Every structure is written in C-alpha cells, then in structure tokens.
Amino acid sequence: MINHEIKIAFEEYSTFHELNDIDQALCREAVKALSGSHSPYSNFCVGAALRLQSGRIIYGSNQENAAYPSGLCAERVALFTWGANYADDPIESMAVTAYTAKFVINKPITPCGSCLQVLAEYEKKQKQPIRTILYCQDGSTWVTNGIDSFLPFLFFEDRLVAVPA
C-alpha cells in the first residue's frame, strides 16, 4: 500500500480592501452580474465576472428553471460565453459572489463540481491557469491560482480527442 496526501493552497483575505485594485474591480463586476440572476425558486443569486487578457469583462449569473435541472450556474454561463465568443482572448481571472435576502452569507461560496470541470477544461484549452476569486461581500475572500486547489483529480482523457481524418 502507498499512502498519498494532497495539499491545496489558497489565499484568504479577511476584508475586500486587502485585495489589489485589479481584483477589487473584478469583485465589483461580479456584484454587477448578480442583477442578471434568474433565481425565483431558491432566491439565491450568484454572479460571476471573467477578466480576459484584453481587459474585456464577461458576466454570468445563475439561471433557474421550473424544470429544475434545466438551470445553469453563473460560472458556466460566463465560461460558456467566453468559449463561444472570445476563446482567442485568454481568461486571466474569474470572480464569483452571491447574495440572498434570506440570510447573511458569511463565507465565500465555491463553484459546484460541474463548474469546476468546465473551468478545468478551459484552463487546459488556453494552456494557463485561471486566477479564481471567491468574494464574500460580508466576509472573507478566497483566491486560488488555477483549478488544482479545487479539483485535484481532474477528469481528462486525452484519447477522447477527435482524431483528424
């Protein structure tokens, strides 16, 4: 038997003001993205903002549907928008935040497994990590440099790549 240990790394900032100006600005953009949330069932709004290498900002917000599995998370809305429209302009960083009137969110929310897998796929596609900022408006902020700290066992199967004809 071989015993393995996995360690993750992330930065924790106790207040938004400890972040650098560029990260603070992206967090404010994620807050703006909350306004596009369609969350009439959970009343839990999530906003995501991507900053591309060109400086362009892409927004995503969670989209719920009465046919519950038909909705989509804010992170995937933003990431798929990038993939469909701006794939030649690498993603430098992504900020994610949430809001609900039902309770105080006092720690950062983390992307779901599906969003992490999409994030991993796009990091691989652009051949560089995506700085991820999980911004809690009433608490701390967590920052990682790439997907490895969230999803150490990524699903990648290189043999699934289409073989040229």
Side-chain angles (χ1 to χ4, degrees):
M1 175 183 85
I2 299 174
N3 223 356
H4 297 273
E5 183 176 323
I6 296 174
K7 295 182 180 185
I8 65 165
F10 67 97
E11 300 165 1
E12 181 173 5
Y13 298 88
S14 59
T15 72
F16 166 79
H17 302 289
E18 292 178 15
L19 296 170
N20 65 43
D21 292 342
I22 293 170
D23 288 346
Q24 285 184 33
L26 191 60
C27 289
R28 284 191 288 275
E29 298 297 326
V31 171
K32 282 185 196 176
L34 290 169
S35 67
S37 173
H38 177 69
S39 48
Y41 307 103
S42 70
N43 294 303
F44 192 82
C45 303
V46 181
L50 307 179
R51 186 180 62 246
L52 308 186
Q53 191 171 51
S54 67
R56 178 185 301 272
I57 303 295
I58 294 176
Y59 300 95
S61 57
N62 58 321
Q63 303 297 310
E64 295 179 353
N65 190 281
Y68 208 60
S70 298
L72 200 58
C73 301
E75 298 92 331
R76 281 183 282 159
V77 169
L79 289 165
F80 290 154
T81 298
W82 172 81
N85 298 290
Y86 306 102
D88 293 335
D89 190 359
I91 302 167
E92 289 188 342
S93 56
M94 173 174 73
V96 180
T97 194
Y99 171 79
T100 182
K102 291 184 172 189
F103 54 87
V104 173
I105 301 170
N106 55 19
K107 67 178 184 176
I109 63 158
T110 57
C112 72
S114 294
C115 289
L116 291 174
Q117 184 63 40
V118 171
L119 186 62
E121 185 84 15
Y122 284 157
E123 276 191 3
K124 183 176 181 181
K125 179 178 181 174
Q126 70 176 22
K127 297 181 176 84
Q128 71 181 46
I130 297 170
R131 181 177 170 83
T132 303
I133 306 161
L134 305 177
Y135 170 47
C136 179
Q137 296 174 67
D138 292 316
S140 62
T141 298
W142 300 342
V143 179
T144 69
N145 190 30
I147 191 67
D148 293 342
S149 288
F150 290 115
L151 200 59
F153 291 105
L154 301 173
F155 174 74
F156 283 121
E157 179 50 71
D158 291 331
R159 294 172 293 180
L160 292 175
V161 174
V163 178

